[in-house]
Amino acid sequence: MLKNIRLFAGFFIIFLGINNSFAAAVNEIDVKQEPVKLLGAKEIVLTFQNELLNVMKKGQQLGFQGRYKQLEAAIIKSHDLTKIARIVVGREWKKLSDEQKVKLTGVFSQLSISAYAHNFKEYSGESFEYLSEDKTARGGVIIHTVFVLPDDKDVKFDYMLKKKGDNWRIINIIANGVSDLALKRSEYTSVLKREGFDELIAKINEKIDNYAKH
Amino acid sequence: MHTFPHNKGVSTLFITLLILLTLFLAGCASTEVIEEDIAEVDVATETDPFEDFNRSMFGFNESLDTYLAEPISDAYLWVTPQFVQTGIANFFNNLKDVNVVLNDMMQGKLMQGVGDTGRFTVNSTIGLLGLFDVATEIGLEKHEEDFAQTLAVWGVPAGPYLVLPILGPSTSRGVPGAVFDTAANPASYIGLPIQVLQMLNARANAEGGLNFINEAALDPYVFTRESFLQYRKHLITDGESEITDDLLDLEDEFYDEDELSDEFETLDTNELPAEVSPVTIKGIDEQVVEKTGFQLELSSETKDFEQASDSLDGAVQSLDEATTSFEEAGDKIIQMENQ
């Protein structure tokens, strides 16, 4: 009887052991997958800022095209450019044909990357500092950071992120209270209403050319 | 007028006239009219009802800048060594700190007021009349306060967006703000050469920002308006309290937008007939425009004129609100102190 109990207990322990290690294995998979697949909103922003600083440090060697290539990868990984392009034209979006929507999203992405490649071309001791994180009512997240300039007042950079599927993506940047998305939205809707779609695309292309030249 | 010494210059006279005008207009305006106007503004909720007028003023300022201010400013930047430019910028910034202290106090920011008084004292003495910004080096941070912000803190609404000749972007609240700021700036009383230098310095410091607008803006008018209004809001709230609320509003709006466009995507094919009718109406409109082009041009000019006078009304209303706010301000400061 006693033997049986011991046997049973032994099995039980073995069983538990297996069970635990199985659970541990499952946990390990979870832990391993999380950083790869599901970066938190904060990590998305910090990774992007790091890559931006790296490009700035190598800015002169890379040249415009080099900076563009590196930033393109970094921006696509961290921003929801399709959604931004859609928000930026506001209610005008639904008046566009499918072809126009594709065209707009394309040139808009090009313009956004060009603007970064043009404006962040050299490094003189700047850095980013993470401050805090806020949740918004609609399930978004705001990451508060400051851009520290060595010879000037700090600039507040607030990033607004939303989930695209399982991944957090930046949809707006607010620099010292000035919302990039709101600013662009006013501009784009105004140009669309006053001058039309073709003129908007022409203006965007002109900006892209200027950024590449200077 | 003869009571004012002659050598104090044009600006003193100008300011005195403006203040007298303010008092006069404040006396004239009846409270009933103001209440009606406020209700109207609430209904309209447009920030830029005078866009046509503002755009032409923006165009005027732009050409004034291109043909006059920019060449002179370029020459100034070319001739003057960097350390002299920095010294001059510091000098005028230091004089502005007098106004900053006044507005700190009027907004009940007493500690900040003490710090800014310290800034002015240190920079005016050790900093050799403000040529060197020693205060920032020793950790006394520069603050941006002006009378338009104080009015906002007192509860005067911004009113419509205005582009003023030469002075540029403003709101109707910004007009009494600018009058007060000019009056409270010692540079306004030093004399004409200093005021010319002050303008040169202001234009030279704006160089970077103006270049950025030229590079980035698809529509420079809208770009300037939006960034001005948003940045002012940021200054008024000191960048702290309201930012998350603002974001919430924005997000709500974007969410609605999302839903709308999602809805649209599912309805895409059914919606087509509805899309056709506005297009045909537009076509008719265009024909009308072609036929009566000249008349329309004329009427748009009178529209501009009407907008100009409307925007003046707005400014006058703000001046009026400013004076009533002055009366209430005393009570509010006492309240803040008690808190």
Side-chain angles (χ1 to χ4, degrees):
Chain A
M1 194 65 185
L2 200 75
K3 235 183 179 179
N4 274 349
I5 291 171
R6 272 192 193 156
L7 207 68
F8 176 76
F11 269 116
F12 189 69
I13 288 163
I14 289 166
F15 179 73
L16 266 183
I18 290 168
N19 208 5
N20 273 345
S21 65
F22 182 69
V26 171
N27 279 341
E28 243 169 69
I29 292 166
D30 275 357
V31 171
K32 268 181 197 162
Q33 273 186 348
E34 218 164 354
V36 181
K37 203 181 165 191
L38 302 170
L39 276 184
K42 180 182 163 185
E43 281 73 36
I44 290 278
V45 171
L46 297 189
T47 313
F48 172 66
Q49 290 180 332
N50 264 334
E51 287 181 49
L52 188 58
L53 289 173
N54 283 336
V55 170
M56 284 164 76
K57 283 172 191 165
K58 290 180 292 180
Q60 294 304 311
Q61 305 152 232
L62 287 171
F64 181 84
Q65 291 306 332
R67 294 196 298 273
Y68 186 96
K69 268 204 171 150
Q70 286 208 7
L71 285 166
E72 184 177 27
I75 289 171
I76 286 171
K77 261 195 294 180
S78 55
H79 291 61
D80 190 345
L81 285 171
T82 325
K83 189 169 193 167
I84 298 172
R86 194 165 83 183
I87 294 172
V88 145
V89 289
R91 294 181 193 284
E92 303 291 313
W93 177 262
K94 56 182 174 182
K95 294 178 193 157
L96 303 179
S97 70
D98 286 350
E99 203 183 310
Q100 285 177 321
K101 286 174 185 173
V102 172
K103 176 88 188 157
L104 177 75
T105 315
V107 289
F108 178 78
S109 304
Q110 249 182 305
L111 177 67
S112 307
I113 301 161
S114 302
Y116 266 111
H118 173 79
N119 287 315
F120 295 85
K121 59 182 140 207
E122 53 199 2
Y123 184 75
S124 43
E126 296 90 345
S127 60
F128 283 101
E129 227 174 75
Y130 168 81
L131 294 181
S132 61
E133 182 172 336
D134 271 328
K135 286 198 168 68
T136 71
R138 300 276 195 201
V141 163
I142 301 159
I143 306 291
H144 301 277
T145 67
V146 275
F147 189 45
V148 184
L149 300 163
D151 296 321
D152 216 327
K153 265 192 161 183
D154 298 350
V155 182
K156 288 181 86 165
F157 270 81
D158 300 311
Y159 293 83
M160 195 164 124
L161 293 94
K162 288 219 107 178
K163 271 206 162 165
K164 184 188 190 183
D166 284 338
N167 303 303
W168 287 104
R169 288 288 179 263
I170 298 167
I171 58 163
N172 192 14
I173 301 169
I174 299 123
N176 267 354
V178 180
S179 154
D180 183 55
L181 203 53
L183 187 60
K184 288 216 174 89
R185 188 180 150 95
S186 308
E187 269 199 291
Y188 282 55
T189 49
S190 164
V191 174
L192 270 177
K193 275 184 203 150
R194 290 178 152 257
E195 295 163 81
F197 182 81
D198 293 338
E199 187 57 24
L200 176 69
I201 299 295
K203 281 191 170 177
I204 295 176
N205 280 327
E206 188 191 320
K207 293 290 161 192
I208 295 171
D209 285 349
N210 276 340
Y211 278 142
K213 269 183 227 154
H214 299 291
Chain B
M1 281 305 140
H2 61 273
T3 50
F4 290 94
H6 199 69
N7 60 2
K8 278 202 175 175
V10 186
S11 62
T12 323
L13 181 70
F14 177 67
I15 290 155
T16 321
L17 275 173
L18 268 175
I19 291 169
L20 284 175
L21 186 74
T22 316
L23 294 174
F24 171 72
L25 289 169
C28 288
S30 75
T31 42
E32 277 168 49
V33 174
I34 290 164
E35 274 163 18
E36 268 172 32
D37 281 356
I38 288 171
E40 242 170 62
V41 169
D42 280 345
V43 172
T45 61
E46 278 279 331
T47 45
D48 191 6
F50 313 122
E51 182 167 346
D52 291 341
F53 166 75
N54 282 340
R55 270 192 192 265
S56 48
M57 199 46 80
F58 185 83
F60 169 77
N61 284 346
E62 250 191 351
S63 36
L64 195 69
D65 188 68
T66 314
Y67 295 110
L68 188 71
E70 197 183 4
I72 297 174
S73 163
D74 284 350
Y76 165 79
L77 288 173
W78 190 73
V79 167
T80 336
Q82 182 60 49
F83 77 95
V84 177
Q85 283 171 33
T86 313
I88 289 169
N90 286 341
F91 174 76
F92 286 111
N93 274 335
N94 184 48
L95 292 181
K96 267 191 202 159
D97 272 347
V98 175
N99 190 29
V100 174
V101 171
L102 285 174
N103 284 290
D104 283 339
M105 297 301 179
M106 287 191 286
Q107 292 173 37
K109 296 173 185 165
L110 300 183
M111 285 315 290
Q112 190 178 309
V114 171
D116 288 335
T117 311
R119 268 188 66 84
F120 181 70
T121 318
V122 170
N123 281 342
S124 303
T125 51
I126 307 170
L128 303 176
L129 290 175
L131 291 175
F132 299 93
D133 185 5
V134 189
T136 302
E137 305 279 318
I138 62 170
L140 286 169
E141 201 191 332
K142 168 111 187 146
H143 294 106
E144 276 186 68
E145 301 291 352
D146 51 53
F147 191 57
Q149 288 184 53
T150 302
L151 289 177
V153 172
W154 291 353
V156 177
Y161 176 70
L162 290 178
V163 180
L164 304 174
I166 302 166
L167 296 174
S170 184
T171 56
S172 62
R173 182 174 61 200
V175 176
V179 173
F180 183 94
D181 293 339
T182 314
N185 190 342
S188 311
Y189 305 95
I190 300 177
L192 200 59
I194 294 293
Q195 277 158 31
V196 171
L197 188 61
Q198 188 184 15
M199 282 163 81
L200 268 175
N201 171 59
R203 174 58 181 79
N205 288 332
E207 179 78 17
L210 291 171
N211 285 344
F212 184 79
I213 293 175
N214 280 337
E215 274 174 10
L218 296 183
D219 182 339
Y221 170 79
V222 176
F223 189 98
T224 310
R225 180 186 72 204
E226 291 307 308
S227 43
F228 172 80
L229 291 174
Q230 286 191 42
Y231 185 61
R232 291 299 300 179
K233 208 172 181 184
H234 173 76
L235 285 181
I236 288 160
T237 57
D238 293 316
E240 298 297 335
S241 50
E242 272 187 23
I243 197 154
T244 43
D245 298 345
D246 283 359
L247 285 174
L248 272 179
D249 289 350
L250 270 179
E251 203 190 4
D252 278 1
E253 208 182 314
F254 297 149
Y255 186 79
D256 294 344
E257 212 66 69
D258 251 16
E259 292 220 307
L260 269 177
S261 42
D262 287 347
E263 261 171 43
F264 179 74
E265 268 160 29
T266 54
L267 290 171
D268 229 346
T269 42
N270 305 338
E271 285 273 317
L272 274 173
E275 284 285 292
V276 178
S277 51
V279 173
T280 48
I281 288 169
K282 230 187 225 167
I284 294 164
D285 275 355
E286 273 160 19
Q287 282 179 345
V288 174
V289 170
E290 269 171 36
K291 278 180 192 164
T292 57
F294 181 64
Q295 279 177 320
L296 277 178
E297 226 172 75
L298 270 180
S299 71
S300 84
E301 269 170 29
T302 48
K303 203 175 150 200
D304 264 17
F305 182 74
E306 275 167 23
Q307 290 201 346
S309 65
D310 281 356
S311 63
L312 256 179
D313 282 352
V316 165
Q317 190 192 315
S318 276
L319 283 166
D320 197 39
E321 277 162 8
T323 43
T324 45
S325 293
F326 258 128
E327 290 159 16
E328 291 164 16
D331 302 337
K332 283 199 178 168
I333 288 173
I334 290 164
Q335 277 174 16
M336 284 179 198
E337 274 173 357
N338 290 339
Q339 282 166 12

